[in-house]
Amino acid sequence: QWNRDTVDLSAYANDTIRLRFHFTVGTNTAFRNDCAIDDVVVRQTPTCPQPTNLSADSINLDSALITWTPADSGGTFEVEFGQTGFGLGNGTRTTTTADSFILNNLQSATTYDVYVRDICGPGDTSFWTGPLVFTTPACDTSEQCNFSIELFDSFGDGWNGSEIAVI
């Protein structure tokens, strides 16, 4: 599970601080000794807080509604999107004053990454929120069918990394 947290350390200005991470070993899991910590950053608290709750709704063949919760009201937001894996600065960028935006002219059966940030003023932007990852459907809902596929492992090796593709 990925947890993102922000801690205000301004009360410790001009002091030396130590970061300590503590985890509890679970007993009912095969991964009870696994713990991973990465992407720890200590930086000055931004003056422009970033949006939260980035989500995609009404995902269609060629469009999706992207929504978020602004940290402040009345802001301007920058939205950047592209096919999964694009680098920030290399996607399609646009600005809006609303807390939602409709992405149009998308390709069907394609996975996209979306990022949003707040523009609080000239030269004052929040950190990017994202990526939000979503996939456009391959065909209209009216053309889709439900299938049940029964599989069994006749060899007895737990499928041993095999896969099946349904096209």
Side-chain angles (χ1 to χ4, degrees):
Q1 175 180 328
W2 175 268
N3 293 317
R4 179 179 216 146
D5 200 5
T6 302
V7 178
D8 183 359
L9 300 174
S10 60
Y12 304 99
N14 301 317
D15 285 345
T16 301
I17 62 166
R18 284 187 224 175
L19 299 178
R20 183 173 145 187
F21 302 93
H22 174 32
F23 74 99
T24 304
V25 176
T27 58
N28 294 329
T29 175
F31 302 105
R32 65 179 186 207
N33 293 322
D34 289 358
C35 178
I37 298 173
D38 66 0
D39 295 335
V40 175
V41 178
V42 177
R43 59 184 166 210
Q44 186 174 356
T45 302
T47 57
C48 185
Q50 67 191 98
T52 58
N53 302 320
L54 187 57
S55 68
D57 299 303
S58 303
I59 302 169
N60 298 308
L61 290 174
D62 62 355
S63 66
L65 173 64
I66 307 302
T67 62
W68 57 88
T69 303
D72 295 325
S73 61
T76 299
F77 302 94
E78 189 169 27
V79 178
E80 184 168 355
F81 69 97
Q83 290 187 13
T84 289
F86 81 93
L88 276 169
N90 296 318
T92 301
R93 278 196 190 187
T94 189
T95 58
T96 180
T97 56
D99 58 1
S100 63
F101 188 79
I102 296 175
L103 305 180
N104 287 307
N105 301 316
L106 303 177
Q107 296 176 7
S108 62
T110 304
T111 303
Y112 290 91
D113 291 347
V114 181
Y115 296 84
V116 176
R117 71 177 173 180
D118 198 343
I119 302 172
C120 295
D124 188 16
T125 58
S126 71
F127 296 115
W128 287 100
T129 298
L132 166 68
V133 180
F134 71 91
T135 302
T136 53
C139 57
D140 283 324
T141 305
S142 62
E143 297 172 358
Q144 296 176 3
C145 298
N146 293 323
F147 292 94
S148 295
I149 299 174
E150 262 187 66
L151 304 172
F152 61 95
D153 178 15
S154 62
F155 193 69
D157 67 349
W159 297 97
N160 195 19
S162 296
E163 60 184 60
I164 186 170
V166 178
I167 300 174

